[in-house]
Structures are given as C-alpha cells and as structure tokens.
Amino acid sequence: MQSMELQNTVKEALNALYHHPDDAVRMQADRWLQDFQRTIDAWQVADNLLHDATSNPETLIFCSQTLRSKVQRDFEELPSEAFFQLRNSLNNLLKKFHKGPPIVRTQISIAVAALAVHVPAKDWGDGGIVNWLRDEMNSHPEFIPGFLELLTVLPEEAFNYKIAARPERRRHFEKELTGQMEIALNILTACLNISELKEQVLEAFASWLRLKHGIPGSVLATHPLVLTALSSLNSDILSEASVNVVSELIHYTASKSSGGVSVQGPLIQVIVPQVMNLQAQLRDSSKDEEDVKAIARLFADMGDSYVELIATGSSEAMMIVNALLEVASHPEYDIASMTFNFWHSLQVVLTKRNSDISFGDEASIEAERNQRLQVFRQSYESLVSLVSSRVQYPQAYQDLSYEDLKEFKQTRYDLDGICYVLAVADVLTDAASVLGGDATLQILYMKLLEAISCCGNEQSEWRPAEAALFCIRAISSYVSVVETNVMPQVMDLLPKLPHQPQLLQTVCLIIGAFSKWLDAAPSGFSKLPLVIDILMSGMRTSEDSAAAAALAFRHICDDCRRKLCTYCKELFHIYYTAVNGEGSFKGSADDSLHLVEALSMVITELPPEPAKVALEELCASVVTPLQAVINQGPEVLEKKHARELTVHIDRFAYIFRYVNHPEAVADSVHRLWPIFKAIFDLRAWDMRTMESLCRACKYAVRTSGRFMGTTIGAMLEEIQGLYQQHHQPCFLYLSSEVIKIFGSDPSCASYLKNMIEVLFKHTTSLLTSIKEFTTRPDIADDCFLLASRCIRYCPQLFIPSAVFPALIDCAMIGITVQHREASNSVLTFLSDIFDLAKSSKGEQYLSIRDSLIIPRGSTITRILVAALTGALPNSRLETVAYALLALTRAYGMQALEWARESVSLIPLTVVKEVERSRFFQALSEAASGADVNTLILSVEELSDVCRRNRTVQEIVQGALKPLELNLVPVL
C-alpha cells in the first residue's frame, strides 16, 4: 500500500514539475523528486512504474534516470542476493523498450552496464556480461536493437567515475571487457547482416575500439567491421558512425597499448589510402558542411596520430601534409582550425634537439635536422599565408553588440596585451620556429604591403593592414633584435597608416612588442621619436589605443632604459601629459600605472643623486592630490570614495616596486610616512584603501630593506594597533614581508617578537571554530602564511613564544576549511612544522615541536585522513598527502600507528582490509624515501573508495569526525 501511495506521489510531483503554472510549486516538486531519488524506496517505485503500462513518457524518463542513478551510485544499498532479481528486471525493461522511447532505452542500457561494473563476471554466468548478452541476443533476436545499445555503452561505462565501484573492481571490469572483446566483435560482425542496424553496429564497434586493447593490426586490417566502415566512407551520404570508427582506428593505431604505429603498419596501410580518397570532397561546394567537417576531422586525426611518421618527409607523408594544408585553407574557421594542433606537433618534432637519429656526430645530426626543416619549409610558408587573414576584424564589426565585440577583443588580447587563446597566433609562432622569425616576418611584411596598397588612406579599408600587423606582432619574439631588412621599413610605414582606433591600437602594440629591436638594432633607437609620437596619438584616441600605448611605453622604457636616461625631462613630460591630466589621456587609471612603471624603470638606471631627485619629483606628482585631501580635514578623508585614494596610492606601490634605489626609496617613505599614517588612522575600516596602502608599504619594505630605519618601527606599531580593531588581512601580509626582510636581524628582535605575539594572539581569538574560518578565510590565509614565514625566517622568536601552541591548535581547527587558499596555508604551516628538522635554524627547536605535536599527533592524523577521504575536495589531495607524509617522516612508526588508529575508525564495509594495508604500505615506503607518486596514487585510491557515493562519504566523515578535536575512541 505504501508503495502505491509513493508511486502516486511521484506521478503527482512530476505532473506539478512539468505542468503547474506556479514557479514555486514546480521548484518544490523538483526538490521533492530529487530527495526521493536518494531514498531506498526509489528502487522499487521506479521499477514498478517502468513496468506499469499506464506510465506516461515523463514518468518513464524520470524513473529510468532514477534507476540508472541508483545502480550507478547506490548499488551497495541492496542485499547481495538482489543482483539476479535486479538483472532480470532490467533485462525485461530493455526488451520492453527495445523500440523506444530512445532516452528510456539508453538509461536502462547504462543501468545494466553499471551493474556489470559492480558485479564480477562469474556472477553473470560463464564468460561474464558479454557472453550473457550474446546468449540473450541468440534467444531473443527480435530485441537485438536494444541489446546493441547495451553493447555500445558497456565499454563507455568502464571509464565512468559516476559509478560508485571500488578502484580495484573498476580495473577488473576493464580487464574483463578486454578479455571479451573478440566475442563482442563477433556479435557485431553477425549483426552486420541486418542492414538497418549497420549504423548502430558501427557505433558499437567505435565504442569498443576506445578500450584500445591490443588486437593485431593484421587482424583488424581484414576485419569485416573495419572494411565495412572504410567502404561506408565512399557512400553518397557520409556515415557518421563510419567516420567515428575510422577516427577511433586511427587513434588505436597510435596508442601505446596497441603497440603504436611501429607494429600497426598493416592497418595504417589500409586506413590512409581510404582517407586520402576523400581529399577531393574538401573542395566540393555541393558537399554538406557537416560532411566536410567530418572528413577534415579524419585528416586532422591522421596528422595528430602519425606526426612522427609524417616528420620523415617521405612522399606519402607530404601527400598528407598537402591535404592538411587544404583543410587549413577552408573558409570555415571551425574546419581550418582542426589542423592547428598538427602544425604545432610537427614543429615540435622538427625542431627538437634530442633527435632520434642514432648515427653520426652532432654536426651530422644538425645537418639531418636542417634537411628535414627544408623539406617542410614550403608547407609552413603556405600555412603563414593561409592563416594570417583569419585574424581580420569582421566586416561589420561596428554592428556587433558590445558583448560580441568584447569577446572578439578578448580572443586577441589579454590584460597585458599579449596574444590570448587565439590559435592563429600560436600557428604563426609554430611557423616561425620552423622557418625562422626573420623569414616569417618577410612573408607577413609582403602581406602588409599588399594590404596597404589596397586600402590607401581610406579608413574603411584598414582591416587587412591591421590583421597583417597583428600577425607580425604575434611572432615578435622570434625576430632577431638586430634585423635590418624588414623592421626598419615596418617602422617607417607605421606613421603613414590612418589613425583609425582599432588599427592604432595594434600599431601601438607592435611598437611595444619590438621594444628590444628598438634598443638593439642599428637603426632602432633612431626610430624612437617617430614611435613616441604614435604612442602619444594612441593615448589621445580611444580607451583601447591608450591602453596599448601605455603598455608599449612601459616595454620601451624597460628595454631601452639605459639609452633613455638622458631623456628624463621628455619622459616626465609624457608622464605629466597622461597621468596628471595635462593632456587628453583616454586610458584608465590602471593603464596609467604602466607609465608610472615605465618612468620608475628609467630612474633605476640613473646614478644615485640624479635618481633621488627624479624619485622626489615622481613622488611629488603623486602625493600632491593626497595631501590636498588630507588638508581638507579628517571628515573629508573619511568620506572619500576608496577609488579616489587608491588611484594615487597604487602609483606609490609601482614606484616603490620598480625604482631600485633602496636608500632613495627609504628616504621617500620616511618623508611620506605622515601622510600614510593619516590614511591608516582614518581609513583603517576600509579594506580597499588598506589593501592598496599595505601593498605600497610592502614594496617599500622589499626594495629598501634595512634602509627603512625608524620608519619600519612606526609602521609595525601602527598595523599592530589597527589590526586588533579592524581585523584587516592585509596587515598580516604586510607583516609577512617585514618578517622576510628583518626576521634574522637581532636589532629588530624585540619589536618583531612583540608584533608576532600581538597579531597571532588576536587572530587565534578570532578563529575559534570552522565557522569562523569559513567566515574569515582571508585572515586565515594570511595568518598561516605569516606563520610559515616566521618558521622560515625567525624561528628563534616564534617557536618558543607563548602563541605557538595556540596557533597549532588553531590550525587543527582550520584544516578542513573549504576555502582553497586558506586550507593550503594551514596545511603548509603544519608541513613546515613537521619538516623543522630539514632547516638548519629549526633543528634546535625540535624538542619544543615534539612536546606540542606528539600529544596532538593522533588528532592531527585523524583530521588529515578525514580531509583525504572527503572533508576536503579532491583537488587538495596532494597538499594533504604531503602534510601526512611530512608528519610520518618526522615521527616514523608512531605516526604510522596514528594513521592505523585513524583509518580503523572507518567501518570495514567501507574500506576493506586489503585497501587499508595498501595505503599503510605506501605511506610507510614514502616515509622511508620511496617515490612520493606511489603514495599519491594510493591516497587517490583510498579517497576514491571513501567518496564513491554520498552514503559512504557520510559514514566515513561520521566515523572520523574531523571537527572534533578531542575524540575519545569507543572501546
């Protein structure tokens, strides 16, 4: 009766989900159905409704998905004797739905395949599931379509990690399938006789090929399934299944498990001519685009898989290369780009120095390499010409929406103006690696001249020239810095181009990209006045061109800094024009930081006295607006928007970072300290302003070091007091920088010890529970980063202090915080403590460490094991594993016993004895110096076992109780 009620409730909930007009009701129904799927009653209810002839399609779909999910994730809920009943029921459903609905049949097929992953072959009868399936097909030929789908999904489920099978069982299942492959292929071959099933048979064959089991190439070369797939390539209507099969065959011949191309020659010799016969169809305008895409995919697969063979440069290899060039010339980018990975792989093979050539000396090896490069020279020259036009702005780019235009720009540039994600730029650099940068430049220069001759001065035709310049910029790092033939002409052409905003942006970027050439080439520096004028124009034209111009200016000042020392006056003029609003600078405040950085790098090259004067002038231009705000009184300073302050403070950060004159920077900070203190005092509540100011102080400390003198004491006193009131994490990371610079200085010991105790005492009073760690992850992150710095740079002040034990307890609370950076900082801090013996400074404090860690060792280990087995995401496994390894190396057998105690808390139904032993063995061997990767594999396996489904994970975490620090074991 209860089952019937539940079935009716499920139907009502589905009806509400799909048909009720009220969104709230639909959401409530969806939540109820999701919760229902997790119950043990879902097994019977879903099975009953699937067998019920009155169930509507919505019910059938939901119940088939539920049953599939239950088999995948919750099979362990059922008693062992339920297997046969479940298998028979699923078999009956597979027969019932052999004609559809397809989605229901697929879900049932996946459920049967998942059942096979869980249950050993012997339980299926003689020979496992494939033999069982063969017998079912022989007994019930009318249901073959449904059974074929099961045969298709079986190999796919071998690699489906949604199935909550143990790793060992998953490996056995894969072996079972590879052992039954011959039977599976015989079944498929027999089904070829049913013409209407040919596509389905080929799809199943492609699926089995993905197992990459080592069937001899000579067998496959004459196999009916292979011959059928290859002959289907020549059909008037291209068979998608046949393309999938041939694609898998190509991958199969190149896979290590099949022996690779060296032993798969017979099959390769059958495949390649058949694919090559399709080349003419690439040019057939009447061919459907999807068919052309499928053919292109086969050529790309051949290129990727046989790249080592192709690199020999044989006549047969060059036929494939020419076909791939034809694919690369296709007007559709999606098709042309399929070849891009091949051009990269071929370049790597052609240019690598550790050649496989086994004869001769270095000179003959180099000669052979150059000969190979020569063979492919023409191909790469053609490639450059083919792909260079693909970066052109769209014809109607002005009609693009704001989002589409933004996306287009983002595929070309990142925030630093460097090529980002654009595959064409990568292809060009591959070509430059083969041809040489100067030769590639020559090809692109001809493209630029062609583009300029076509457009004249008409702004409407700027796009081809812009594309050519974009490509030249993409290969800038491959062009010789003393190139004399093309680059002077390129630079002379730049001022003659129309000042169209997008074109000007690329012109500015190319100037920045060739800053090393401007410095090193014989005629390079003479071009500087010319290019500076262009950059000034860029700064005034548009936001994008201003950003590019500022970036280029930074590159020029970086690479030409020594030559620019005599032009400081002119550089300051440019700086004032842009940064202080004396000109019409269109860039953002962030763009202006490039100019600050640029000037700072030139100042670095000045002698001490001129550098000090220039630094004072630079700082004066930044401090003036801040001083003006402070002069207006505390109320005005407190009410200012953070950005009005940080725009100036960030410039100080760049100055202190890039002006490498320690004493001069220290003097500047000393003079500026009253202003900084005023901002600290009145804006300590404002995170953005404090982060900006602490960043500036951090770089001042890093550059000036011990020249900071009395200023550092005042700075530390300030942040100590303010941290206790406002809890800003940036105060901790500024302290971290101070520890790094001054930690070993005896004269600073007194105020550093006081700072450590104050900051850590207050932080541990804040982070008293995992909830507090979760609420304040930035404080946790910066606190334990600071603690690790203290271990490294001033253990003499930190380890004997009263706050050290409290910080260890605090770290134990925070190990399982979900915030990635905070968790990593906590784990790294603990690892640093365990690794104390590795440090020459730390060895003398081992007795203090041991007195604190040994009493807590069992608890720390339990929490670490909990983190490995589900309390933290899989992505943290390596960091947690290292902490556990460091603990074990430090405490040997005692730590292994802690690990055994911890794992023994997990029920044997979850982690078997053999799985425990494997983990302990790997931990013990790694602690003794064995390869750490073995431990990582063992940890991943234990983690997989303990996370295989939600129920298991709850059992594991319920047993380990990572949030309880004083767990008393039940005897």
Side-chain angles (χ1 to χ4, degrees):
M1 182 66 188
Q2 187 181 3
S3 178
M4 284 300 297
E5 288 177 5
L6 261 177
Q7 289 175 43
N8 289 331
T9 307
V10 167
K11 290 179 180 179
E12 289 167 8
L14 286 167
N15 188 59
L17 177 65
Y18 287 105
H19 304 293
H20 202 283
D22 189 335
D23 285 348
V25 173
R26 288 201 301 274
M27 287 178 64
Q28 186 179 1
D30 186 40
R31 280 196 298 270
W32 186 88
L33 288 166
Q34 287 184 40
D35 291 340
F36 163 75
Q37 286 180 310
R38 298 189 189 107
T39 66
I40 198 159
D41 292 323
W43 288 100
Q44 191 64 59
V45 171
D47 187 66
N48 289 348
L49 288 172
L50 284 167
H51 283 92
D52 187 346
T54 65
S55 292
N56 63 19
E58 292 161 354
T59 303
L60 293 176
I61 291 169
F62 172 77
C63 290
S64 63
Q65 290 172 335
T66 300
L67 203 52
R68 181 263 302 155
S69 175
K70 296 297 284 183
V71 177
Q72 286 180 330
R73 305 299 296 171
D74 301 322
F75 180 68
E76 289 178 283
E77 288 180 347
L78 299 178
S80 57
E81 62 271 16
F83 161 65
F84 293 103
Q85 185 182 350
L86 177 59
R87 183 188 69 181
N88 293 338
S89 178
L90 290 170
N91 188 18
N92 290 332
L93 290 171
L94 201 56
K95 294 171 183 175
K96 175 181 177 181
F97 297 111
H98 78 283
K99 290 185 179 178
I103 187 172
V104 175
R105 186 179 67 206
T106 299
Q107 297 301 307
I108 301 300
S109 297
I110 294 172
V112 179
L115 187 62
V117 178
H118 287 295
V119 180
K122 61 183 176 61
D123 292 348
W124 289 84
D126 183 29
I129 187 174
V130 178
N131 269 350
W132 173 84
L133 185 54
R134 180 193 60 194
D135 295 341
E136 287 291 320
M137 293 172 85
N138 288 335
S139 303
H140 305 283
E142 68 274 24
F143 300 128
I144 282 177
F147 290 131
L148 266 180
E149 179 149 16
L150 172 56
L151 196 58
T152 303
V153 300
L154 260 177
E156 295 168 359
E157 294 307 289
F159 308 104
N160 183 356
Y161 285 85
K162 288 181 181 177
I163 299 173
R166 297 172 186 274
E168 188 174 10
R169 173 57 205 150
R170 197 186 302 282
R171 288 192 292 270
H172 283 162
F173 178 66
E174 188 180 346
K175 287 180 183 176
E176 289 166 10
L177 286 188
T178 55
Q180 296 166 0
M181 181 176 274
E182 189 176 344
I183 301 168
L185 298 193
N186 288 340
I187 295 171
L188 293 174
T189 303
C191 290
L192 277 177
N193 296 322
I194 309 170
S195 58
E196 61 267 24
L197 293 180
K198 189 172 83 168
E199 281 286 295
Q200 202 175 347
V201 168
L202 290 176
E203 285 293 359
F205 180 38
S207 181
W208 279 84
L209 284 171
R210 290 183 192 110
L211 285 174
K212 295 184 172 58
H213 177 59
I215 305 174
S218 56
V219 173
L220 280 177
T222 57
H223 199 285
L225 289 165
V226 174
L227 298 179
T228 301
L230 290 170
S231 63
S232 298
L233 291 178
N234 299 312
S235 304
D236 291 337
I237 300 173
L238 189 66
S239 159
E240 183 181 348
S242 65
V243 170
N244 290 338
V245 168
V246 176
S247 176
E248 291 302 329
L249 284 169
I250 293 168
H251 294 148
Y252 178 84
T253 57
S255 68
K256 289 182 180 178
S257 57
S258 75
V261 293
S262 60
V263 300
Q264 292 290 344
L267 182 55
I268 293 172
Q269 287 168 14
V270 171
I271 295 170
V272 173
Q274 293 292 334
V275 177
M276 291 302 296
N277 287 339
L278 301 173
Q279 185 175 351
Q281 296 185 39
L282 291 169
R283 300 185 293 272
D284 188 347
S285 58
S286 66
K287 204 72 179 169
D288 180 77
E289 187 179 311
E290 288 304 311
D291 286 353
V292 175
K293 191 176 286 187
I295 293 167
R297 171 186 155 202
L298 293 179
F299 280 106
D301 285 342
M302 282 204 311
D304 291 338
S305 299
Y306 305 147
V307 66
E308 293 278 354
L309 287 177
I310 292 170
T312 61
S314 66
S315 56
E316 294 87 353
M318 297 313 293
M319 290 171 63
I320 298 175
V321 171
N322 290 333
L324 288 163
L325 277 172
E326 197 159 334
V327 176
S329 70
H330 196 279
E332 285 297 323
Y333 177 80
D334 287 348
I335 292 174
S337 62
M338 289 180 182
T339 67
F340 288 0
N341 187 64
F342 162 73
W343 301 114
H344 172 70
S345 301
L346 180 61
Q347 173 269 125
V348 170
V349 174
L350 293 174
T351 58
K352 66 182 177 183
R353 294 281 173 180
N354 55 332
S355 176
D356 294 332
I357 304 163
S358 56
F359 59 85
D361 55 15
E362 183 67 30
S364 61
I365 291 173
E366 187 67 16
E368 173 67 18
R369 177 175 165 275
N370 290 334
Q371 187 179 339
R372 283 192 181 197
L373 289 172
Q374 198 62 38
V375 170
F376 291 94
R377 191 168 194 84
Q378 189 175 347
S379 301
Y380 275 95
E381 287 173 350
S382 299
L383 182 66
V384 171
S385 295
L386 285 173
V387 302
S388 57
S389 62
R390 292 191 182 276
V391 297
Q392 197 163 297
Y393 265 84
Q395 181 77 44
Y397 86 96
Q398 289 175 313
D399 298 331
L400 292 176
S401 68
Y402 173 78
E403 286 302 319
D404 287 344
L405 188 59
K406 183 179 177 183
E407 183 181 351
F408 175 76
K409 289 176 180 177
Q410 284 177 340
T411 62
R412 306 178 112 222
Y413 311 112
D414 70 6
L415 294 179
D416 261 345
I418 309 300
C419 290
Y420 176 70
V421 178
L422 186 64
V424 171
D426 292 336
V427 174
L428 290 167
T429 59
D430 289 329
S433 296
V434 173
L435 302 172
D438 294 3
T440 310
L441 175 65
Q442 181 69 48
I443 298 169
L444 294 172
Y445 176 61
M446 298 311 294
K447 286 278 184 182
L448 176 61
L449 290 180
E450 184 184 325
I452 292 172
S453 67
C454 289
C455 73
N457 287 321
E458 294 179 32
Q459 286 213 7
S460 60
E461 293 298 329
W462 56 269
R463 296 178 308 111
E466 190 279 336
L469 288 170
F470 179 88
C471 293
I472 290 173
R473 178 175 165 270
I475 63 156
S476 59
S477 59
Y478 293 81
V479 176
S480 167
V481 293
V482 291
E483 200 278 337
T484 57
N485 294 325
V486 175
M487 277 314 301
Q489 298 178 68
V490 171
M491 289 295 175
D492 287 339
L493 279 175
L494 298 183
K496 299 171 186 175
L497 296 173
H499 282 193
Q500 195 279 339
Q502 283 76 23
L503 176 57
L504 184 56
Q505 178 188 10
T506 302
V507 167
C508 291
L509 288 170
I510 206 169
I511 290 170
F514 284 94
S515 55
K516 286 182 171 61
W517 180 88
L518 288 167
D519 180 57
S523 61
F525 199 70
S526 65
K527 307 287 184 188
L528 209 55
L530 198 74
V531 298
I532 291 292
D533 284 344
I534 297 173
L535 296 184
M536 294 303 291
S537 179
M539 290 180 195
R540 296 190 296 267
T541 300
S542 70
E543 289 181 13
D544 289 337
S545 66
L551 178 68
F553 191 69
R554 185 195 80 180
H555 285 310
I556 289 171
C557 287
D558 186 9
D559 291 320
C560 307
R561 58 173 76 185
R562 287 183 180 150
K563 292 179 179 176
L564 288 171
C565 285
T566 55
Y567 296 91
C568 268
K569 186 177 179 182
E570 291 81 355
L571 294 177
F572 266 106
H573 173 70
I574 294 170
Y575 172 78
Y576 291 139
T577 300
V579 174
N580 289 356
E582 293 178 12
S584 50
F585 182 58
K586 293 285 178 66
S588 66
D590 287 340
D591 296 328
S592 72
L593 292 174
H594 291 316
L595 302 176
V596 177
E597 181 182 345
L599 202 49
S600 299
M601 289 188 290
V602 174
I603 292 172
T604 292
E605 294 303 314
L606 296 173
E609 280 308 311
K612 186 175 182 181
V613 173
L615 177 60
E616 286 177 12
E617 183 179 350
L618 186 55
C619 288
S621 69
V622 178
V623 79
T624 302
L626 284 176
Q627 185 70 66
V629 172
I630 291 169
N631 290 345
Q632 293 176 55
E635 285 189 16
V636 174
L637 180 58
E638 279 189 306
K639 290 178 182 177
K640 280 285 182 185
H641 190 278
R643 189 60 181 153
E644 293 181 63
L645 301 173
T646 60
V647 68
H648 306 295
I649 299 170
D650 287 346
R651 288 171 187 164
F652 277 125
Y654 271 65
I655 293 168
F656 298 154
R657 181 179 184 180
Y658 292 106
V659 174
N660 190 15
H661 280 281
E663 198 166 356
V665 169
D667 288 345
S668 293
V669 174
H670 182 71
R671 284 194 306 276
L672 293 165
W673 177 247
I675 292 171
F676 288 177
K677 186 178 187 309
I679 299 171
F680 269 127
D681 288 342
L682 293 170
R683 300 286 298 203
W685 51 269
D686 173 15
M687 179 178 285
R688 286 184 62 189
T689 302
M690 288 301 99
E691 284 180 347
S692 177
L693 189 52
C694 284
R695 193 180 306 115
C697 290
K698 177 184 78 171
Y699 285 122
V701 170
R702 186 176 292 179
T703 298
S704 301
R706 296 177 185 182
F707 287 107
M708 287 284 284
T710 56
T711 314
I712 193 69
M715 189 182 293
L716 292 180
E717 187 179 338
E718 185 76 15
I719 60 175
Q720 275 175 230
L722 293 176
Y723 179 68
Q724 294 176 80
Q725 298 173 53
H726 300 284
H727 315 145
Q728 298 286 10
C730 55
F731 295 151
L732 295 172
Y733 83 61
L734 174 54
S735 303
S736 197
E737 193 64 34
V738 172
I739 289 293
K740 182 179 176 182
I741 302 298
F742 295 96
S744 59
D745 188 342
S747 65
C748 303
S750 177
Y751 64 75
L752 287 182
K753 186 174 186 296
N754 185 57
M755 178 191 78
I756 287 169
E757 291 182 351
V758 169
L759 295 180
F760 285 140
K761 183 178 180 181
H762 191 71
T763 303
T764 53
S765 72
L766 294 174
L767 302 175
T768 56
S769 67
I770 196 68
K771 183 180 177 183
E772 291 297 336
F773 270 86
T774 304
T775 305
R776 307 172 187 267
D778 292 339
I779 285 183
D781 180 22
D782 287 316
C783 166
F784 288 100
L785 282 174
L786 172 60
S788 285
R789 281 267 172 97
C790 289
I791 290 174
R792 232 160 281 147
Y793 294 103
C794 56
Q796 74 282 2
L797 304 179
F798 179 47
I799 295 174
S801 71
V803 294
F804 188 58
L807 207 58
I808 293 174
D809 290 335
C810 185
M812 290 167 63
I813 295 169
I815 289 173
T816 57
V817 64
Q818 297 302 299
H819 188 273
R820 185 182 61 193
E821 284 79 12
S823 171
N824 284 344
S825 294
V826 170
L827 289 165
T828 301
F829 166 67
L830 288 172
S831 298
D832 288 342
I833 294 174
F834 306 149
D835 285 337
L836 204 57
K838 290 183 178 180
S839 159
S840 57
K841 290 182 181 178
E843 277 189 277
Q844 58 188 299
Y845 304 107
L846 290 180
S847 60
I848 298 176
R849 180 200 69 177
D850 294 347
S851 70
L852 296 170
I853 296 300
I854 290 173
R856 296 166 172 81
S858 179
T859 302
I860 292 172
T861 307
R862 173 171 53 81
I863 299 171
L864 289 174
V865 171
L868 291 173
T869 55
L872 285 177
N874 266 320
S875 57
R876 315 273 171 78
L877 283 184
E878 203 167 319
T879 310
V880 181
Y882 182 79
L884 183 61
L885 176 60
L887 180 67
T888 310
R889 283 175 173 166
Y891 295 102
M893 293 303 298
Q894 192 172 17
L896 286 170
E897 188 55 40
W898 293 334
R900 283 194 179 86
E901 286 174 11
S902 300
V903 176
S904 69
L905 295 171
I906 305 171
L908 278 167
T909 53
V910 174
V911 180
K912 294 178 181 177
E913 191 58 49
V914 65
E915 291 163 334
R916 298 167 192 243
S917 299
R918 202 176 291 134
F919 170 69
F920 296 140
Q921 180 71 20
L923 183 59
S924 176
E925 288 175 359
S928 302
D931 186 6
V932 176
N933 289 329
T934 307
L935 174 62
I936 298 299
L937 289 173
S938 178
V939 163
E940 286 174 350
E941 193 151 306
L942 179 68
S943 175
D944 196 4
V945 167
C946 293
R947 298 172 195 253
R948 61 185 185 270
N949 62 33
R950 182 180 298 198
T951 303
V952 166
Q953 197 160 340
E954 287 172 354
I955 291 170
V956 171
Q957 295 306 307
L960 293 171
K961 297 181 172 59
L963 301 183
E964 293 185 21
L965 299 190
N966 300 303
L967 183 63
V968 178
V970 178
L971 301 175

